[in-house]
């Protein structure tokens, strides 16, 4: 059989790639709803909210999902990039002049790519129209850590003001856990004798953290004194505690409550730099790296699934830090007669 006939016969027996029958009638708006429903089964509500917000501009593309082109997405991106106002429609923040930041635009494109990749994986599309959309290059971000001096100021203010707050700051600074881990900590997962705890953080993932004597003493003092009185008051009012370690006036302490108490302590201590729970986590990681911990150790202490996350957001060094460290790392040793470093001139 001639080659052309053989090829034709082979093709005639191949099963053609078919798109789902619903594709012709599925609008982009409905496709977004399908995606949000699917991811809600796999990720935490905050992540679903991120996708819902990031995909909202695509709802203005009034086309079937299979008709959406790369140019449609480029036009949508250009409209976002050229915005003159921020926080339009935000439930809490007032509208401000100025366009969207590069990190915000980056998040939009990342969500679009994830959405259309999901459509391809689910069989709704043969290829992603977002594949050729490039994420904007992220600018250099300075470290987001709290300084050790500011941490000491906040610890001192907490020690004077509230046993509970002092225990919380100690736990955050000792374990490097996320704010959700400390707010959701339960008594059943706290082992003061072995200085260990199991925290539940992003996506409901649990992990073990370790703490030292100072934190154990602060926790014991809070549990034996202040928390007992809090428990009595809340129980009398019929408030459900669920075994939570840290309590507030109205019930178990929330993540917002942790943010507020740190802000209050920072104001009292005169802190001018960063003072949120995550800045303490950043401080833990950066200081661990500067003290000689390797990246893999820090990744595991922080509970990151990918070491890339640790390297990208925590292994960041200021120019002056690199300058100070250079003498220990340089390949070139000093000359035998060199007893001090030149300061811009001759010795």
């Amino acid at each position: 059989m001639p080659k052309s006939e053989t090829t034709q016969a082979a093709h005639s027996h191949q099963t053609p790639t078919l798109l789902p029958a619903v594709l012709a009638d599925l609008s982009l708006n409905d496709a977004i709803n399908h995606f949000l429903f699917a991811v809600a089964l796999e990720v935490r509500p905050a992540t679903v909210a991120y996708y819902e917000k990031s995909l909202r501009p695509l709802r203005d593309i009034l086309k079937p999902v299979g008709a959406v082109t790369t140019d449609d997405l480029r036009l949508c991106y250009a409209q976002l990039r050229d915005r003159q106002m921020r926080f339009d429609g935000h439930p809490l923040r007032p509208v401000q002049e100025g366009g969207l930041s590069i990190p915000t635009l980056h998040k939009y494109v990342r969500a679009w790519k994830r959405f259309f990749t999901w459509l391809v994986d689910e069989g709704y599309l043969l290829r992603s129209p977002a594949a050729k959309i490039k994420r904007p290059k992220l600018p250099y971000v300075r470290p987001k850590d709290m300084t050790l001096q500011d941490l000491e100021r906040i610890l001192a203010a907490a020690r004077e003001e509230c046993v509970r707050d002092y225990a919380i700051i100690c736990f955050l600074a000792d374990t490097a856990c996320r704010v959700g881990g400390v707010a959701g900590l339960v008594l059943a997962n706290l082992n003061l004798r072995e200085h260990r705890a199991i925290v539940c953080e992003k996506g409901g993932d649990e992990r073990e953290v370790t703490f030292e004597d100072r934190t154990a003493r602060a926790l014991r003092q809070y549990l034996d004194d202040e928390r007992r009185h809090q428990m009595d008051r809340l129980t009398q009012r019929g408030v459900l505690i669920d075994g939570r370690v840290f309590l507030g006036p109205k019930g178990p302490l929330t993540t917002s409550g942790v943010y507020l108490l740190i802000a209050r302590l920072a104001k009292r201590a005169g802190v001018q730099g960063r003072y949120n729970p995550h800045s303490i986590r950043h401080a833990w990681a950066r200081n661990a790296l500067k003290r000689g911990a390797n990246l893999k150790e820090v990744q595991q202490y922080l509970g990151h699934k990918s070491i890339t996350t640790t390297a990208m957001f925590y292994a960041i060094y200021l120019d002056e830090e690199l300058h100070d460290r250079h003498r220990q790392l340089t390949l070139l040793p000093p000359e035998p007669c060199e007893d001090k470093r030149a300061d811009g001139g001759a010795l």
Side-chain angles (χ1 to χ4, degrees):
M1 180 182 295
K3 182 178 180 180
S4 59
E5 293 181 11
T6 303
T7 304
Q8 185 176 2
H11 284 175
S12 65
H13 287 86
Q14 289 179 350
T15 302
T17 303
L18 298 177
L19 296 179
V22 297
L23 180 59
D25 299 325
L26 185 67
S27 67
L28 181 56
N29 192 66
D30 288 339
I32 292 173
N33 292 337
H34 287 332
F35 171 74
L36 294 175
F37 175 78
V39 297
L41 302 175
E42 303 172 359
V43 301
R44 59 196 180 104
T47 305
V48 179
Y50 151 70
Y51 281 125
E52 195 283 325
K53 177 184 176 182
S54 300
L55 297 175
R56 201 175 298 160
L58 301 185
R59 293 185 183 275
D60 293 331
I61 302 177
L62 304 178
K63 288 184 175 182
V65 66
V68 175
T69 66
T70 302
D71 285 340
D72 291 327
L73 301 181
R74 285 175 176 148
L75 177 60
C76 196
Y77 176 80
Q79 292 170 343
L80 289 174
R81 182 198 59 195
D82 296 339
R83 274 188 186 176
Q84 300 301 314
M85 306 295 290
R86 286 182 292 175
F87 308 125
D88 187 17
H90 195 283
L92 299 176
R93 307 188 69 169
V95 177
Q96 296 179 8
E97 292 186 1
L100 300 178
S101 67
I102 295 298
T104 299
L105 292 171
H106 188 277
K107 288 180 180 179
Y108 274 106
V109 176
R110 187 175 64 189
W112 296 356
K113 286 179 171 289
R114 173 71 179 89
F115 166 58
F116 281 104
T117 298
W118 179 85
L119 289 174
V120 172
D121 291 343
E122 292 290 311
Y124 289 105
L125 294 177
L126 292 176
R127 64 177 185 82
S128 167
K132 295 183 179 180
I133 303 295
K134 294 184 178 180
R135 301 179 182 90
K137 185 177 180 180
L138 291 172
Y140 170 76
V141 179
R142 291 179 65 85
K144 298 179 179 180
D145 55 324
M146 178 186 293
T147 66
L148 296 183
Q149 295 80 3
D150 284 342
L151 176 60
E152 286 300 329
R153 294 187 185 102
I154 289 177
L155 281 166
R159 186 194 293 270
E160 294 177 2
E161 182 171 312
C162 178
V163 175
R164 181 203 66 180
D165 294 356
Y166 179 68
I168 288 174
I169 301 301
C170 285
F171 193 82
L172 285 169
D174 209 356
T175 66
C177 76
R178 298 176 176 89
V179 63
V182 66
L185 182 63
V186 296
L187 288 171
N189 289 338
L190 180 62
N191 189 330
L192 292 180
R193 178 176 297 179
E194 295 187 8
H195 294 186
R196 298 180 179 183
I198 296 175
V199 294
C200 183
E201 297 182 319
K202 292 175 66 175
D205 291 339
E206 292 186 342
R207 67 185 184 95
E208 184 177 276
V209 296
T210 303
F211 49 88
E212 300 302 324
D213 288 339
R214 181 176 179 179
T215 300
R217 288 194 299 268
L219 287 166
R220 173 54 64 194
Q221 184 179 2
Y222 167 64
L223 293 172
D224 289 345
D225 184 12
E226 185 176 325
R227 188 181 181 278
R228 290 181 182 272
H229 299 301
Q230 290 176 316
M231 272 287 295
D232 291 340
R233 290 193 297 268
L234 294 171
T235 302
Q236 290 175 4
R237 291 160 46 194
V239 178
L240 188 63
I241 303 302
D242 285 337
R244 298 272 280 279
V245 171
F246 296 109
L247 307 177
K250 299 180 180 180
L253 191 66
T254 64
T255 55
S256 297
V258 178
Y259 273 94
L260 289 173
L261 74 86
I262 293 178
R264 185 184 69 252
L265 294 170
K267 183 177 181 180
R268 176 175 177 176
V271 171
Q272 299 296 318
R274 297 179 181 272
Y275 53 77
N276 59 67
H278 216 63
S279 67
I280 298 177
R281 180 172 160 87
H282 275 262
W284 193 102
R286 285 193 6 95
N287 278 275
L289 289 168
K290 286 190 282 188
R291 291 172 181 174
N294 63 54
L295 204 58
K296 185 64 179 177
E297 287 177 311
V298 174
Q299 175 204 353
Q300 291 185 242
Y301 275 119
L302 296 181
H304 289 156
K305 294 180 179 179
S306 170
I307 200 170
T308 303
T309 302
T310 314
M312 183 179 299
F313 296 106
Y314 295 85
I316 305 172
Y317 300 95
L318 300 173
D319 289 342
E320 52 265 34
E321 293 173 339
L322 295 175
H323 178 80
D324 293 340
R325 179 77 166 144
H326 181 265
R327 193 171 196 182
Q328 298 174 321
L329 302 176
T330 180
L331 182 64
L332 184 66
E335 292 181 342
C337 63
E338 198 177 334
D339 58 356
K340 64 177 181 177
R341 192 170 185 175
D343 188 13
L347 289 174

